[in-house]
Each structure stands twice: as structure tokens, then as C-alpha cells.
Amino acid sequence: MRKLSMDELGRPSVDEFKQLDKLPVTVVLDSVRSLHNVGSIFRTADGFAIERIVLCGITGIPPHRDIEKTALGATQSVAWQYEKNIQEAITNLKREGKKIIAIEQAEGSTMLHQFFPQADENYALIFGNEVNGVSEEAMSLIDHCIEIPQFGTKHSFNIVISAGIVLWDFYRKLKLKSGDS
């Protein structure tokens, strides 16, 4: 077995990426404090070709060297916007017709493997602060809550891991057909 070279991977240019058919998902970062986490989520968002990222509250915004350190240029390919107030961000996303889903451990949440996104829907997935999770202000406005099953002693995954798990699950369920690779 041989690793593929960068040229063999056939990745699109930034301009080509911007023209791609996107996964109908907007990622909302609700006061994420780590700039490295923000950058990593940009990189993950690029990998799954999501529509955009909405940065809210204390979440850092590009350009910043600590974001770029982990984003590796994804701040140039993934559309993003900053909205100081999470409630205004959610209200605007609802006006756009997006289903608002918190990724959180909450009463009445649906386990990720039991949630099936619909191809004709458009989603906004809210990921919260590393310590406090999704804010109460955001939770009061959501349409649904998804929880990632966990089996160990810790009470949560790192936000970047959570984003990777959920975005892969949405991509797999919305874009891949049985037998596709």
C-alpha cells in the first residue's frame, strides 16, 4: 500500500470549492473560547463541504494566527460570518428556513444514530462552549437536540471531536448511498 501524493488527492481549489454543492448544514459556534478549536472546526467544515459557519459571542474570528494554525487555510474556503448575539443568529437562521439543532446532552434529546436528517431540509447545528456547552439562550430557541452516545467515564467529547462525529454522520446520511465510498 502506498500513500497518495497531494496531487493524487485531486482536491478542489478554493474557487472550485466555493462552487461545490454543499452539505445543507450551517455550523453555529456558541461562545467557543479556544481559537485552536475554532480553526479545527473550520478545517472539518471544509472537509465535509458545509454551507457556512456562524461565529457567536466570544468565539474568535479570522484572521488570527491561532485559528489559522489549525484551520490550514480553511478560513478562505468556508463561508463564515460573525453574529455577537446567539439569539439574533438563531432568529436569522430560522428566517432562512433552517432547522435549529443543538448538539448537547439534554432532557428529550435524540441520540445521533436515531436522528435521520431529511434531504429536503436545511440545518443549523449549534456547538457550545467547551465548559458550559450550548447556552440556555440558544437552548430556548432550538427545534431539536441531538446527543452523541458516550460509553466512558468522561461527561463530554471535545467540541472538535463532536463536530467531526456529527458532520460525518450528517454527510453519510445525506450524501452517501449504500455501497458508496
Side-chain angles (χ1 to χ4, degrees):
M1 188 166 296
R2 175 185 68 81
K3 287 175 38 176
L4 298 175
S5 70
M6 296 298 258
D7 289 338
E8 290 174 304
L9 292 175
R11 299 292 188 239
S13 69
V14 170
D15 289 335
E16 291 167 336
F17 177 87
K18 289 179 179 183
Q19 302 305 311
L20 291 177
D21 181 37
K22 302 291 191 294
L23 186 67
V25 169
T26 293
V27 167
V28 180
L29 300 184
D30 182 9
S31 289
V32 173
R33 65 180 183 187
S34 165
L35 298 175
H36 293 137
N37 284 344
V38 173
S40 293
I41 290 172
F42 265 94
R43 189 169 168 191
T44 302
D46 175 278
F48 291 112
I50 70 159
E51 288 181 348
R52 74 179 189 259
I53 298 175
V54 178
L55 308 165
C56 299
I58 66 165
T59 305
I61 60 172
H64 192 286
R65 68 183 175 108
D66 288 337
I67 292 174
E68 294 304 327
K69 182 176 185 177
T70 52
L72 297 178
T75 57
Q76 305 306 309
S77 57
V78 177
W80 66 272
Q81 67 191 71
Y82 176 75
E83 185 81 49
K84 182 169 180 55
N85 185 291
I86 186 69
Q87 292 162 308
E88 285 181 33
I90 292 170
T91 300
N92 292 336
L93 291 164
K94 282 188 175 203
R95 266 192 225 117
E96 293 175 18
K98 300 199 184 312
K99 291 248 186 238
I100 311 299
I101 300 175
I103 310 304
E104 187 58 85
Q105 298 167 8
E107 185 177 80
S109 63
T110 300
M111 290 298 164
L112 179 61
H113 63 283
Q114 295 172 328
F115 181 84
F116 295 93
Q118 302 302 305
D120 61 343
E121 294 284 354
N122 204 301
Y123 298 92
L125 304 177
I126 305 173
F127 295 90
N129 177 276
E130 294 89 340
V131 174
N132 301 314
V134 176
S135 67
E136 291 299 329
E137 294 84 8
M139 291 296 289
S140 70
L141 297 172
I142 64 172
D143 297 314
H144 206 77
C145 186
I146 292 175
E147 184 174 338
I148 302 168
Q150 295 181 171
F151 309 100
T153 62
K154 299 301 167 194
H155 70 281
S156 66
F157 288 111
N158 173 280
I159 183 175
V160 174
I161 300 303
S162 294
I165 291 169
V166 173
L167 290 175
W168 164 247
D169 190 73
F170 269 64
Y171 189 89
R172 183 180 61 83
K173 290 173 179 172
L174 289 170
K175 295 282 189 175
L176 297 181
K177 310 269 185 287
S178 181
D180 287 354
S181 57

